[in-house]
Amino acid sequence: IRNDLPYPVTEAMINVPVTGAFAGCGNIMPGTDCRTSFETVNYSGNAMVVSWKEYGQEKSTKEFVVKPGSDLDTGMPVWLEVTIFAAGQAGAKFVKSRSGP
């Protein structure tokens, strides 16, 4: 979860309502990110919701589905990259798995 805002965000969460899966980070400083993980599963196209707080005010996306791009190898693990990119706005994409910690 990356914070591209010029101020901290708190209580950032990724939630997949249909499965109950979630992952989150407590505090993300401006221009930084935190890494967390879901259990590795096969892609099933379920909708997710991203929520967080800006200056203590709750923000969230509507439910949305992230689709793998044509450049991703569907047989290899991928990362979900969530970015809070503007006040009250966030998005996500799949990226190739990085090696190392």
Side-chain angles (χ1 to χ4, degrees), residues 13-21 45-52 59-67 90-92:
M13 293 290 293
I14 304 163
N15 225 321
V16 181
V18 73
T19 66
N46 292 323
M48 69 179 67
V49 175
V50 178
S51 62
W52 67 98
K59 306 290 181 179
S60 70
T61 64
K62 293 180 180 178
E63 282 192 8
F64 66 98
V65 174
V66 178
K67 296 182 181 174

Side-chain angles (χ1 to χ4, degrees), residues 15-60:
N15 225 321
V16 181
V18 73
T19 66
F22 65 92
C25 298
N27 296 299
I28 310 172
M29 299 308 291
T32 67
D33 57 52
C34 81
R35 293 185 185 189
T36 187
S37 63
F38 283 108
E39 179 181 335
T40 302
V41 296
N42 289 330
Y43 176 75
S44 57
N46 292 323
M48 69 179 67
V49 175
V50 178
S51 62
W52 67 98
K53 288 185 179 179
E54 297 174 19
Y55 294 115
Q57 294 184 335
E58 293 182 8
K59 306 290 181 179
S60 70

